[in-house]
Amino acid sequence: MKKPKSLQSSGSRETFLIFIVVACGIMATLSVNLFNQSASDPSEANIGESTRSDQPRSVPEKVPSVKLTDVPLATGTEPMEKLFVQSGCAVCHTIPGIAPALGREGPRLVLGTNGPLRLADPQYQGTATTVREYIQESILNPGAYVVPGYSDRVMPRWYGTRLNALALNRIAEYLENVKE
């Protein structure tokens, strides 16, 4: 039986909306970081004020640039659902209990159930000994174990560098308790 056209495109629409939410989160974080950086730099306090012509105006020697990769995806202080959306997990993974997390590119994250099975799999090449360590390792070193049926390059190698310790810990704490 063929799905109605409106239902066929809903998955693409949801993925697009999740992408937009993640992009907005990144932009908001970037703008907050830039605002906080300039507000806390006293050497920039006089910029825009009129100065006497006989006194040279101080100009910073080098203005630091902020790259997108310098901005964390999440701080770890967000509500759980927002943490998974801002971190980008919801784009690729289905995560029970996280409504927007309906991705199909990565495996379903029910690690309270299948984490122990993955640690026991002879194909597992990592160093983790607990489910929590396995989750953290999967984020920081995605190639340590690739779930059968999924590509080794779905999980970005840089992904773990964009999460701080609090965000990583909260994600692992949540996922180690998700069961089928």
Side-chain angles (χ1 to χ4, degrees), residues 20 26 30 57-58 64 76 82 88 91 97 120 129 131 135 155 176:
I20 294 299
I26 290 170
L30 180 61
R57 187 172 163 178
S58 78
K82 188 174 181 182
V91 174
T129 58
V131 172
I135 295 165
M155 184 74 165
E176 73 181 334

Side-chain angles (χ1 to χ4, degrees), residues 1 17 34 52 64 96 99-100 107 162 174:
M1 181 173 164
L17 292 174
L34 288 173
R52 292 180 18 192
R162 300 285 307 282
Y174 181 87

Side-chain angles (χ1 to χ4, degrees), residues 1 6 9 14 41 43 46 95 103-105 113 133 143 164:
M1 181 173 164
S6 63
S9 64
E14 288 175 10
D41 189 353
S43 67
N46 292 331
I95 307 168
R104 297 182 199 140
E105 295 298 316
T113 300
E133 288 174 0
N164 67 22

Side-chain angles (χ1 to χ4, degrees), residues 2-180:
K2 192 172 182 181
K3 291 181 183 178
K5 189 173 184 174
S6 63
L7 291 178
Q8 289 175 348
S9 64
S10 68
S12 297
R13 198 171 311 133
E14 288 175 10
T15 302
F16 176 73
L17 292 174
I18 290 170
F19 174 77
I20 294 299
V21 168
V22 171
C24 289
I26 290 170
M27 295 302 291
T29 304
L30 180 61
S31 63
V32 167
N33 285 347
L34 288 173
F35 175 76
N36 287 342
Q37 181 182 6
S38 65
S40 64
D41 189 353
S43 67
E44 296 184 14
N46 292 331
I47 295 177
E49 294 179 10
S50 62
T51 58
R52 292 180 18 192
S53 60
D54 60 340
Q55 293 182 352
R57 187 172 163 178
S58 78
V59 177
E61 288 182 24
K62 183 176 180 184
V63 176
S65 64
V66 177
K67 294 178 256 161
L68 188 56
T69 56
D70 294 337
V71 180
L73 294 170
T75 64
T77 59
E78 300 86 356
M80 195 57 68
E81 190 168 289
K82 188 174 181 182
L83 174 62
F84 279 102
V85 170
Q86 274 187 216
S87 296
C89 307
V91 174
C92 295
H93 296 282
T94 295
I95 307 168
I98 306 297
L102 300 172
R104 297 182 199 140
E105 295 298 316
R108 181 177 166 86
L109 299 182
V110 286
L111 295 165
T113 300
N114 57 22
L117 301 173
R118 292 179 185 169
L119 286 169
D121 187 328
Q123 299 299 314
Y124 175 67
Q125 299 296 312
T127 59
T129 58
T130 66
V131 172
R132 181 179 289 226
E133 288 174 0
Y134 166 75
I135 295 165
Q136 292 173 337
E137 180 180 63
S138 295
I139 294 168
L140 298 171
N141 181 17
Y145 180 76
V146 179
V147 175
Y150 292 92
S151 169
D152 183 25
R153 295 294 176 188
V154 171
M155 184 74 165
R157 299 298 195 243
W158 52 262
Y159 187 75
T161 64
R162 300 285 307 282
L163 293 173
N164 67 22
L166 179 59
L168 182 62
N169 189 54
R170 287 193 65 216
I171 288 170
E173 180 179 26
Y174 181 87
L175 293 176
E176 73 181 334
N177 293 301
V178 178
K179 297 184 178 189
E180 286 286 359

